[in-house]
Amino acid sequence: YRGDGYTCTPVRPCSEGSDKCSKYSTCTDLTPGGKYKCDCYFGFFGDGKQCTGSRGKRFLVLFMKNIGDPTETSPRPRHAQIYIASLNKTDVKITTSDSLAKSLKSKIDQTVSMNSNSEKIVSIFQNVRVNDAVVENKAVMLETSDVTSVFALNHDGYTSDSTLVLPIDRLGVKYVIPSTEPHSKQHSDYNSQLAFGAVQDQTRVEITLKLNRWQYIKYGGEKNRDGDKIIVTLNKYQTFQLSHNGDLTGTLITSSKPVAVFSGNRCNKLNRYGFCSHLVEQIPPVDSLDTTYIVPPHFERSGTMVRVVSAHTGSTTFSYTIDKSASTKTIGTFGNFDITVSGKQAVVVDSKRQVLVLSFGLAARRQKNGDPYMTMVPGVNQYVHQYHVSVPQGFQQNYFAIMVKKGSKSSLLLDNGRISSKNTVSESSVTVKGQDYVVLTVMVNQGVHRVETKDRSRFGLMIYGHGHDDGYGFAANILGPGKL
């Protein structure tokens, strides 16, 4: 209470703005005065003063170079899409740099409104895709009046991939790049690539290359080799991309101010059969990475390639367990190691230091549904207990991969109801640090979905799907506990 001792009024920290609740929580004043409680918003997990999740109100998106089908006589739509999922009524504002060509800016900038529990699909003109080795004004800024989840799909006629888009206030200044070895060094369509966009003016970005011996990237009139640094300064909403006919995995990105970083391959083929496919993910900053991961199987794929990437200098030792058989591997500075398993096997990765873990669904033999796609795997400590996500349009089969504690399986809810056994197409079990988990694959329809546990037990969620010679995949959250 406060007053002169004769007249006293209760202190109300929430009403007065003196509380310490997270910006992603609801603050409620309690009686007696001076006390209050913080409750994280839907889709966030924490004590209310610190809330973890990948939802937000401000996002920066960019779209890397993709390829079209050179054999297509009647080209299919070439577009990029932003998917926005909102639980509440929301106004959405999409803007680009004032320096972007007016003819392109007029096709992107817009304001739209959303109803509660809905999704909005915004098509982005294909010319906004970034080009190699040049500073451009091609970042897309998305702002919403209420908290939303945002995903991006980069589609170019016959090849696509998707990514979770991270909110601006969870971007960082240090990233390690994952990609894959191009199927052919003779064709730039297979190139690995990285790209980043700036949120603020005068953002200095330093790229420390990790290349194989004898390889180099031409930039600035120089042949830049392994360990060399490429420095770029960007202003607000500017972008920069590099591509290479080798694997860029392990390249380090550091910046003076937060940046949004994306990487993958223009279009790559990861086994002998099938076609190449665009690979892309937005990369979480190093300080958000985890040490323990459950990698689910990819239903109706020939297998899964799991890539573990060190986020540190020096050696990083980790174990990986397949069918209760454990092995140990040590990798060097920003090194990587691949694990290939069947389409029915889950993998547990447990590292002594922070690592990136990626999952690549491999093309299925004798099937036309789905070429490779790239997905960041959420760490066990990045799990939350509620998700609100969009499943993209245009794919024949769509799946949720759910990693949940065995005792909480019965607590799972999908769109406020129990998960139907007829929609559960696979189930397996793994053990993580003595805790039993169930790994479920659930068939779902396109559109917006709400997934949660009644007992508030945290679980992992990955979304993927297959179409004609195509596929996509992304995680519903890839951020560890933060300061928000």
Side-chain angles (χ1 to χ4, degrees):
Y1 290 82
R2 67 164 64 90
D4 59 7
Y6 294 94
T7 302
C8 302
T9 57
V11 175
R12 299 190 178 279
C14 298
S15 303
E16 298 168 8
S18 61
D19 63 273
K20 295 183 179 180
C21 291
S22 162
K23 63 189 291 185
Y24 291 126
S25 69
T26 300
C27 184
T28 305
D29 287 312
L30 302 175
T31 301
K35 294 184 178 181
Y36 62 95
K37 67 173 183 175
C38 310
D39 296 301
C40 293
Y41 291 160
F42 184 96
F44 292 87
F45 184 86
D47 60 5
K49 295 181 179 179
Q50 190 176 78
C51 299
T52 297
S54 292
R55 306 180 76 218
K57 293 183 178 181
R58 300 176 70 236
F59 304 83
L60 193 77
V61 189
L62 64 81
F63 294 93
M64 296 196 299
K65 183 74 79 176
N66 200 339
I67 68 167
D69 185 355
T71 65
E72 192 76 69
T73 55
S74 300
R76 283 176 268 185
R78 297 158 57 100
H79 56 255
Q81 291 177 323
I82 300 174
Y83 282 76
I84 309 160
S86 181
L87 273 172
N88 304 313
K89 288 185 177 181
T90 306
D91 293 323
V92 181
K93 182 181 179 181
I94 298 173
T95 55
T96 51
S97 170
D98 290 337
S99 300
L100 185 65
K102 290 183 179 180
S103 59
L104 185 55
K105 184 177 178 64
S106 63
K107 296 178 180 179
I108 300 173
D109 289 11
Q110 56 188 286
T111 301
V112 296
S113 295
M114 298 178 61
N115 294 322
S116 57
N117 194 34
S118 67
E119 70 174 2
K120 180 68 68 174
I121 305 170
V122 181
S123 291
I124 302 296
F125 193 62
Q126 61 178 339
N127 286 357
V128 81
R129 292 193 179 103
V130 295
N131 295 297
D132 283 343
V134 59
V135 173
E136 300 176 294
N137 299 288
K138 290 190 172 180
V140 178
M141 180 69 172
L142 188 148
E143 298 174 279
T144 58
S145 59
D146 204 276
V147 175
T148 58
S149 303
V150 178
F151 314 93
L153 180 74
N154 194 352
H155 186 69
D156 206 4
Y158 83 117
T159 173
S160 61
D161 200 3
S162 58
T163 180
L164 171 70
V165 180
L166 304 181
I168 283 175
D169 46 24
R170 290 305 305 272
L171 300 180
V173 296
K174 183 179 180 181
Y175 299 83
V176 177
I177 294 299
S179 59
T180 59
E181 182 68 33
H183 179 70
S184 171
K185 296 184 182 300
Q186 281 68 49
H187 300 285
S188 62
D189 283 348
Y190 296 110
N191 277 9
S192 61
Q193 51 190 15
L194 62 86
F196 45 83
V199 182
Q200 302 175 50
D201 288 339
Q202 292 299 303
T203 299
R204 184 181 186 271
V205 184
E206 188 173 277
I207 308 167
T208 305
L209 296 173
K210 186 172 178 62
L211 305 174
N212 290 334
R213 192 179 181 186
W214 311 119
Q215 291 183 334
Y216 61 86
I217 293 177
K218 284 187 177 181
Y219 181 75
E222 301 288 337
K223 291 183 177 180
N224 299 274
R225 302 182 185 276
D226 181 54
D228 288 347
K229 299 180 187 297
I230 295 175
I231 298 174
V232 182
T233 299
L234 302 180
N235 287 325
K236 186 177 179 180
Y237 302 164
Q238 287 189 324
T239 58
F240 184 82
Q241 174 176 287
L242 275 184
S243 74
H244 180 47
N245 65 357
D247 190 353
L248 286 168
T249 296
T251 293
L252 179 67
I253 305 290
T254 56
S255 58
S256 61
K257 300 173 184 178
V259 289
V261 178
F262 299 75
S263 70
N265 288 69
R266 190 161 299 172
C267 188
N268 209 12
K269 183 176 176 178
L270 300 181
N271 44 16
R272 297 187 307 275
Y273 40 85
F275 299 96
C276 76
S277 183
H278 185 58
L279 303 177
V280 64
E281 280 287 82
Q282 182 169 1
I283 311 306
V286 168
D287 60 8
S288 283
L289 299 180
D290 200 5
T291 58
T292 306
Y293 298 80
I294 300 171
V295 186
H298 288 276
F299 187 67
E300 290 191 339
R301 300 294 86 199
S302 63
T304 300
M305 186 183 87
V306 180
R307 171 158 287 194
V308 182
V309 184
S310 168
H312 300 280
T313 57
S315 62
T316 297
T317 300
F318 64 91
S319 66
Y320 61 97
T321 304
I322 307 167
D323 295 335
K324 298 184 179 181
S325 176
S327 302
T328 301
K329 180 69 178 178
T330 298
I331 52 181
T333 298
F334 304 127
N336 69 88
F337 180 71
D338 294 339
I339 307 157
T340 302
V341 295
S342 77
K344 297 181 180 180
Q345 292 176 303
V347 181
V348 175
V349 175
D350 190 16
S351 175
K352 300 205 178 279
R353 306 177 76 186
Q354 290 169 308
V355 290
L356 281 165
V357 177
L358 296 102
S359 174
F360 298 85
L362 302 178
R365 297 175 185 267
R366 298 182 298 277
Q367 288 191 25
K368 292 187 176 181
N369 286 335
D371 282 316
Y373 46 91
M374 173 180 178
T375 311
M376 289 292 308
V377 179
V380 169
N381 295 303
Q382 296 169 339
Y383 294 174
V384 297
H385 67 294
Q386 298 166 321
Y387 299 90
H388 192 242
V389 298
S390 285
V391 174
Q393 298 178 351
F395 296 86
Q396 280 81 20
Q397 296 94 27
N398 301 285
Y399 303 98
F400 283 168
I402 300 173
M403 297 76 76
V404 62
K405 291 177 181 177
K406 184 177 180 180
S408 295
K409 175 188 170 185
S410 61
S411 180
L412 279 168
L413 295 176
L414 173 58
D415 298 327
N416 299 313
R418 297 284 297 273
I419 295 177
S420 169
S421 58
K422 69 177 182 180
N423 291 332
T424 303
V425 296
S426 75
E427 180 175 337
S428 58
S429 299
V430 297
T431 301
V432 180
K433 298 182 184 296
Q435 175 69 59
D436 292 331
Y437 280 80
V438 176
V439 183
L440 303 172
T441 304
V442 180
M443 185 177 293
V444 295
N445 296 322
Q446 65 184 33
V448 66
H449 295 281
R450 173 175 173 153
V451 195
E452 59 197 307
T453 50
K454 289 188 296 183
D455 65 359
R456 296 178 62 86
S457 175
R458 295 189 292 165
F459 62 98
L461 177 64
M462 296 168 64
I463 300 98
Y464 66 93
H466 310 137
H468 182 79
D469 291 335
D470 201 8
Y472 74 91
F474 60 91
N477 180 55
I478 51 173
L479 293 175
K483 60 186 177 182
L484 302 177

